[in-house]
Amino acid sequence: MTIEKIRDLYDAKPFRPFLIHLADGRSLPVLHREFIAHAPSGRTMVVYQPDDSLNIVDLLLITDIEIKPNPSSPAAGS
């Protein structure tokens, strides 16, 4: 995964929550843009959770990003 892809999700207006899937099988929800921060090198990022826990993620270990449906879209209710 590239930092550019993460930045596109971060900058999306409106922001849409997404799930980061990792090579070890874990999934990390990103509920709001304020819950992620990336290192200046672009190699790692920090994902915060509502309970103040955090994960430091190597971007090379991200296998997939799942974007959650927009709750206000008509397809979200079907």
Side-chain angles (χ1 to χ4, degrees):
M1 185 62 53
T2 64
I3 191 62
E4 289 81 20
K5 300 269 187 206
I6 301 294
R7 285 182 183 141
D8 289 345
L9 292 169
Y10 179 88
D11 291 332
K13 291 187 177 38
F15 178 84
R16 291 177 58 190
F18 57 94
L19 270 176
I20 297 170
H21 296 279
L22 302 175
D24 66 2
R26 292 181 297 151
S27 296
L28 303 173
V30 178
L31 303 176
H32 194 277
R33 72 172 39 98
E34 294 171 351
F35 288 15
I36 60 174
H38 61 83
S41 68
R43 170 81 192 256
T44 58
M45 70 179 192
V46 178
V47 180
Y48 294 93
Q49 298 305 318
D51 67 358
D52 286 339
S53 64
L54 62 92
N55 297 88
I56 301 172
V57 178
D58 183 330
L59 293 181
L60 296 175
L61 298 178
I62 297 176
T63 60
D64 184 37
I65 300 235
E66 179 182 346
I67 301 169
K68 294 299 190 180
N70 187 340
S72 63
S73 72
S78 358

